[in-house]
């Protein structure tokens, strides 16, 4: 029997706890959480006997740690930890869409330079296996268009505003209470969070790096009660839609509220659910739907990446075929 691989975990918030709870349900996976790095080790943590530290070097410099899992909300610190872990020969799994989306040039270099795997399924779409699908079945096809709901928090808020006539403020508080929105929801409601995910999808769809600074981005805060009444009168819903389209080799990216009708695949995707539609030149349209926010769906994506790491899986980040 193979010895269990040792994990160094950064972060024990909503996603970190979700990963921990998911991992307990998979005793067949030959891994053990050896150390957990958090900001504060004085906080009471009940129901487990994990070793906590606030010194990242206890994980990064420990030769016994095989895999680093980064689940913190500090993008700058995450970037440092991920690069150092890879440099020290450790596989890395991350859910940090902000860090990855804003550092794709470095991420691309890490894929090329370092031997260990760097995987981040949980950074896009929560429990939807979109990155793996782009890197697998869809890799050898030309992707024409990607369109979807990529932020569960904003979708939850818009759903409550439209179905139950809640105010924006009430819907936001409820989303935060249920763990769908962060304490500081700015990235979610502004469309920036979805734009980071769109940048990552562009990288895997086209093998190209596109900064969200060039995207057309609009917040759900611009959605008024009058907009909601208008949509309802026309039998439509308002969704924060992320779109990535390639026309004549030019990639166009946007994240903005849109009216969608019953014939749209995004129409019935409500609450914290996400949906991603991928149009490929050969196999046509593929629609992925699933939980896009919350501890357990995101934690499940980390588990799947963990299984892939144990199988020495690496992303194929070469330029994709162009058949136009």
């Amino acid at each position: 029997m193979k010895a269990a691989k040792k994990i160094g975990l950064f972060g024990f918030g909503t996603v970190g706890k979700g990963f921990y709870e998911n991992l307990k349900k998979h005793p067949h996976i030959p891994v053990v959480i050896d150390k957990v790095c958090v900001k504060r080790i004085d906080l009471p943590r009940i129901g487990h006997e994990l070793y906590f530290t606030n010194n990242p070097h206890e994980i990064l410099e420990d030769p016994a740690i095989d895999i680093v899992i980064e689940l913190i909300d500090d993008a700058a610190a995450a970037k440092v930890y991920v690069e150092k872990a890879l440099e020290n020969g450790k596989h890395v799994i991350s859910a940090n869409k902000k860090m990855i989306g804003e550092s794709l040039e470095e991420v691309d270099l890490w894929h090329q330079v370092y031997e260990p795997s760097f995987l981040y399924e949980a950074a896009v779409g929560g429990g939807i296996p979109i990155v793996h699908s782009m890197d697998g079945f869809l890799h050898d096809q030309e992707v024409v268009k990607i369109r979807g709901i990529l932020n569960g928090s904003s979708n939850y808020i818009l759903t409550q505003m439209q179905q139950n006539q809640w105010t924006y403020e009430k819907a936001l508080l409820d989303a935060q209470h249920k763990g769908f929105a962060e304490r500081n929801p700015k990235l979610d409601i502004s469309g920036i969070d979805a734009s980071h995910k769109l940048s990552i999808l562009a990288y895997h769809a086209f093998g190209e790096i596109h900064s969200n600074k060039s995207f057309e981005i609009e917040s759900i805060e611009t959605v008024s009660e009058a907009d909601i009444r208008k949509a309802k009168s026309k039998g439509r819903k308002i969704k924060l839609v992320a779109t990535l389209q390639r026309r004549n080799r030019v990639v166009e990216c946007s994240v903005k509220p849109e009216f969608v009708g019953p014939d749209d695949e995004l129409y019935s995707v409500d609450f914290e659910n996400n949906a991603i539609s991928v149009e490929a030149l050969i196999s046509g349209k593929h629609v992925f739907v699933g939980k896009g926010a919350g501890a357990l769906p995101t934690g499940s994506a980390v588990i799947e990446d963990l299984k892939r790491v144990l199988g020495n899986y690496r992303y194929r980040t070469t330029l994709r075929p162009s058949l136009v």
Side-chain angles (χ1 to χ4, degrees), residues 14-133:
T14 300
V15 179
K17 290 175 183 174
F19 163 68
Y20 172 70
E21 293 300 326
N22 266 311
L23 187 60
K24 289 195 296 184
K25 299 174 183 176
H26 295 79
H28 60 285
I29 301 178
V31 297
V32 60
I33 298 177
D34 190 60
K35 297 173 182 174
V36 183
C37 184
V38 293
K39 287 182 181 179
R40 294 181 56 186
I41 57 174
D42 59 317
L43 295 178
R45 295 180 171 92
I46 302 170
H48 49 74
E49 297 179 354
L50 297 173
Y51 173 82
F52 288 90
T53 177
N54 59 2
N55 181 1
H57 297 290
E58 284 199 47
I59 289 176
L60 298 174
E61 306 298 336
D62 185 347
I65 296 222
D66 305 285
I67 303 166
V68 167
I69 298 180
E70 179 278 305
L71 304 175
I72 63 177
D73 58 6
D74 184 335
K79 186 175 179 179
V80 173
Y81 300 157
V82 168
E83 184 167 26
K84 189 63 178 177
L86 290 169
E87 182 183 313
N88 288 348
K90 305 179 191 303
H91 298 291
V92 179
I93 297 168
S94 174
N96 203 310
K97 56 263 187 180
K98 184 176 189 295
M99 182 273 289
I100 298 166
E102 292 182 349
S103 309
L104 282 169
E105 289 187 2
E106 290 91 338
V107 169
D108 184 61
L109 183 64
W110 298 341
H111 284 313
Q112 312 311 322
V113 171
Y114 296 118
E115 184 176 346
S117 303
F118 176 40
L119 306 181
Y120 37 82
E121 184 66 74
V124 184
I128 299 175
I130 184 62
V131 178
H132 186 63
S133 297

Side-chain angles (χ1 to χ4, degrees), residues 44-316:
R45 295 180 171 92
I46 302 170
H48 49 74
E49 297 179 354
L50 297 173
Y51 173 82
F52 288 90
T53 177
N54 59 2
N55 181 1
H57 297 290
E58 284 199 47
I59 289 176
L60 298 174
E61 306 298 336
D62 185 347
I65 296 222
D66 305 285
I67 303 166
V68 167
I69 298 180
E70 179 278 305
L71 304 175
I72 63 177
D73 58 6
D74 184 335
K79 186 175 179 179
V80 173
Y81 300 157
V82 168
E83 184 167 26
K84 189 63 178 177
L86 290 169
E87 182 183 313
N88 288 348
K90 305 179 191 303
H91 298 291
V92 179
I93 297 168
S94 174
N96 203 310
K97 56 263 187 180
K98 184 176 189 295
M99 182 273 289
I100 298 166
E102 292 182 349
S103 309
L104 282 169
E105 289 187 2
E106 290 91 338
V107 169
D108 184 61
L109 183 64
W110 298 341
H111 284 313
Q112 312 311 322
V113 171
Y114 296 118
E115 184 176 346
S117 303
F118 176 40
L119 306 181
Y120 37 82
E121 184 66 74
V124 184
I128 299 175
I130 184 62
V131 178
H132 186 63
S133 297
M134 296 294 299
D135 197 63
F137 176 76
L138 293 165
H139 184 272
D140 296 317
Q141 302 187 50
E142 178 169 3
V143 174
V144 179
K145 184 177 182 179
I146 296 175
R147 181 173 175 270
I149 297 170
L150 298 180
N151 185 269
S153 306
S154 59
N155 197 41
Y156 182 88
I157 292 168
L158 288 172
T159 300
Q160 293 288 23
M161 291 173 67
Q162 293 173 94
Q163 287 193 8
N164 298 316
Q165 292 76 54
W166 284 9
T167 63
Y168 165 80
E169 290 77 14
K170 181 178 180 180
L172 172 59
L173 284 173
D174 190 61
Q176 291 172 319
H177 176 70
K178 291 179 177 174
F180 300 147
E182 302 290 342
R183 282 175 294 178
N184 181 356
K186 182 179 179 181
L187 291 178
D188 292 322
I189 62 177
S190 66
I192 299 296
D193 174 82
S195 75
H196 288 144
K197 297 170 183 176
L198 205 59
S199 291
I200 297 169
L201 288 177
Y203 174 64
H204 283 271
F206 308 126
E208 301 171 2
I209 295 168
H210 295 274
S211 169
N212 68 342
K213 293 178 181 178
S214 64
F215 296 3
E216 180 185 355
I217 304 173
E218 187 177 329
S219 171
I220 64 170
E221 290 178 294
T222 63
V223 177
S224 67
E225 291 182 10
D227 292 328
I228 291 175
R229 287 195 299 270
K230 181 178 179 181
K232 187 175 182 179
S233 69
K234 295 179 177 293
R236 299 185 178 187
K237 296 179 182 178
I238 300 175
K239 301 290 184 183
L240 184 66
V241 180
T243 305
L244 175 68
Q245 187 163 350
R246 198 173 197 176
R247 295 178 180 173
N248 300 321
R249 300 187 184 278
V250 175
V251 176
E252 302 170 355
C253 306
S254 67
V255 180
K256 57 186 179 180
E258 293 183 10
F259 284 19
V260 298
D263 58 340
D264 192 307
E265 59 263 16
L266 304 183
Y267 180 83
S268 60
V269 181
D270 294 323
F271 297 103
E272 73 273 21
N273 291 305
N274 278 194
I276 304 166
S277 167
V278 182
E279 291 185 33
L281 201 60
I282 298 174
S283 60
K285 182 182 289 187
H286 305 260
V287 181
F288 303 81
V289 180
K291 299 289 185 183
L296 296 181
T298 308
S300 69
V302 177
I303 291 289
E304 291 307 308
D305 270 350
L306 181 57
K307 293 176 183 177
R308 294 179 187 119
V309 159
L310 293 174
N312 294 313
Y313 179 87
R314 292 173 57 89
Y315 289 141
R316 297 188 289 167

